Amino acid sequence: MLVIKNAKIFTSANGVIDRGDILIEHGKIVDVGESLELPECEVIDGEGLVVIPGIVDAHSHISGFGADMEEQDLNEMTKNATPEVESIYSIDTQSPMFERAIKGGITTSAIAPGSGNVIGGMVCAVKSHGNSIEDMCIKNPVALKAALGGNPKGVYGQKNEMPMTRMGIAHVLRDTFMKAKEYMAKKEAGKDVPFDIGLENVCKVLRKEIPLKVHCEQFDMLTTIKIAEEFDIYFTLDHAWGASDFYDDIIGSKNLKGVIYGPIGVLLLPGECGKIDIFSLIELDKKGVPCAIMTDGPILKPDVIIIQAGEVVRFGGDIERVINMLTINPAKILGIDDRVGSIEKGKDADLVIFDGIPALDTNATVKYTIINGQVIYNNN
């Protein structure tokens, strides 16, 4: 049993408690509020400190690309669409990047295949700490990864194979969904169809069990929206550089599960990657679009997620709503908000305690990271 006392608590559920307590038992949040009746147990004195839910990074590749992209265990670049593969099999649970995520306050990451293929494979959500991948995994899958633009063009164009153009990318994406739709229709009609794990995974998207998680930016977002509407599927816009040019299209898309923005501060090239408009999250959030901030780790290291959130605040974002972009919003987008993302009774006790308000105070630092009720990191 663990108690955090007298802290400022951003619950990401029921507002901000200026001076509150959190009671934790058996890895879960038992109670949260002001002046709770607390048992004798281990206590963290939160006087002058700030507690937020554990940060959820909705788009990451840590543990599958090495520390500096020296490995490519999350890019099965043997054909342009590989929906049959799953990121969970490339996660190195001993990767030092998880330790860095913990020190940065990230307690959950959506580990996605890379963007070398038009369809890259299944995405899973894992905790930053655990005894095994089965212990760390919250949900598998949470999405099917896809990628538009320069990445698949760069991979297959060099081989003189499809797709070497945006036309080719759109075709590969549509063709895959058409094949899966036909496969699903035959199965539903009781016809004898050879089992195909890749098409089975695509059918999960067609049945709206999981969204299509799309690496896209600039006008590639419009292609994503168009194809998602054609097949009536849920999707997310990941990276979303240039979103401010397409507010009406994004806001009007009925099957959009959310915008997962970032990272900023990486090498950006003219054209598709050249418009850094993280301020667009403010307008999208006001219009009811679920918005989250990502690291794309190890492209950006885990601790930089707070700096990106600070940029949204610098452009005028409300601090409470920006913290939601690190916590409950990504949890909802990933479909894991029954477990993580907010400080509420019954949720997993994943918490980060800061000295200072993250994203607002430039010198805010992580003092404790708690995962499943255990203090995994203590910076005192």
Side-chain angles (χ1 to χ4, degrees), residues 16 18 24 27 33 59 69 75 89 153 170 178 191 224-225 244 257 274 278 309 316-317 344 353 356 374:
V16 180
D18 285 326
I24 298 165
H59 185 122
M69 300 296 291
N75 261 327
Y89 297 112
K153 278 176 57 180
M178 289 171 70
K191 295 182 180 179
T224 303
I225 291 168
S244 59
K257 299 294 284 186
I278 197 167
E344 298 180 86
I353 304 177
Q374 298 180 54

Side-chain angles (χ1 to χ4, degrees), residues 10 12 15-16 278-279 281-283 285-286 291 293 308-327 329 357-360:
F10 285 81
S12 292
V16 180
I278 197 167
F279 57 83
L281 296 183
I282 300 171
E283 183 65 21
D285 179 64
K286 286 178 181 177
C291 294
I293 299 166
Q308 294 185 92
E311 283 296 283
V312 184
V313 173
R314 187 172 71 86
F315 279 107
D318 173 78
I319 182 59
E320 188 177 351
R321 298 194 69 82
V322 172
I323 287 176
N324 287 349
M325 295 177 190
L326 300 173
T327 56
N329 289 5
I357 299 176
L360 182 63

Side-chain angles (χ1 to χ4, degrees), residues 68-312:
D68 294 298
M69 300 296 291
E70 71 273 15
E71 299 172 7
Q72 285 292 313
D73 245 1
L74 284 166
N75 261 327
E76 182 60 44
M77 295 180 291
T78 50
K79 54 181 178 176
N80 56 32
T82 54
E84 63 271 23
V85 302
E86 301 181 40
S87 65
I88 194 168
Y89 297 112
S90 288
I91 294 174
D92 175 10
T93 60
Q94 302 302 310
S95 169
M97 292 303 293
F98 281 123
E99 181 180 354
R100 188 157 180 179
I102 289 166
K103 290 180 178 179
I106 296 173
T107 56
T108 298
S109 297
I111 307 295
S115 299
N117 296 344
V118 179
I119 297 181
M122 299 299 247
V123 185
C124 68
V126 300
K127 297 284 185 86
S128 299
H129 176 81
N131 297 320
S132 65
I133 188 59
E134 289 78 14
D135 185 37
M136 295 165 68
C137 185
I138 299 177
K139 186 179 179 182
N140 181 42
V142 294
L144 177 64
K145 175 68 185 298
L148 277 63
N151 285 38
K153 278 176 57 180
V155 170
Y156 292 95
Q158 290 180 6
K159 301 177 183 180
N160 213 25
E161 297 175 5
M162 182 178 284
M164 63 186 300
T165 65
R166 280 180 165 79
M167 297 182 294
I169 291 171
H171 169 74
V172 171
L173 195 56
R174 291 184 73 254
D175 186 57
T176 302
F177 276 106
M178 289 171 70
K179 288 175 180 174
K181 196 171 181 180
E182 181 180 357
Y183 174 86
M184 189 168 67
K186 287 180 178 178
K187 287 191 69 176
E188 290 173 349
K191 295 182 180 179
D192 186 19
V193 184
F195 181 81
D196 187 313
I197 185 60
L199 293 180
E200 290 284 342
N201 289 343
V202 178
C203 287
K204 288 182 171 68
V205 179
L206 288 171
R207 292 193 296 266
K208 294 186 174 178
E209 295 171 10
I210 57 173
L212 189 68
K213 184 179 185 64
V214 188
H215 165 121
C216 58
E217 57 276 308
Q218 298 291 313
F219 66 89
D220 288 327
M221 289 183 276
L222 301 182
T223 302
T224 303
I225 291 168
K226 179 179 177 62
I227 292 175
E229 288 176 351
E230 178 181 350
F231 291 96
D232 190 25
I233 59 172
Y234 292 137
F235 68 101
T236 63
L237 298 175
D238 291 45
H239 299 303
W241 299 309
S244 59
D245 290 336
F246 309 108
Y247 282 141
D248 290 344
D249 300 278
I250 295 170
I251 292 164
S253 183
K254 59 183 175 65
N255 285 344
L256 175 65
K257 299 294 284 186
V259 170
I260 303 170
Y261 195 97
I264 62 172
V266 297
L267 173 65
L268 293 168
L269 305 174
E272 67 184 75
C273 299
K275 186 163 187 175
I276 301 306
D277 53 357
I278 197 167
F279 57 83
S280 65
L281 296 183
I282 300 171
E283 183 65 21
L284 292 170
D285 179 64
K286 286 178 181 177
K287 298 295 186 180
V289 175
C291 294
I293 299 166
M294 60 132 118
T295 65
D296 202 21
I299 304 297
L300 278 191
K301 299 305 184 274
D303 33 310
V304 184
I305 199 166
I306 292 295
I307 297 171
Q308 294 185 92
E311 283 296 283
V312 184

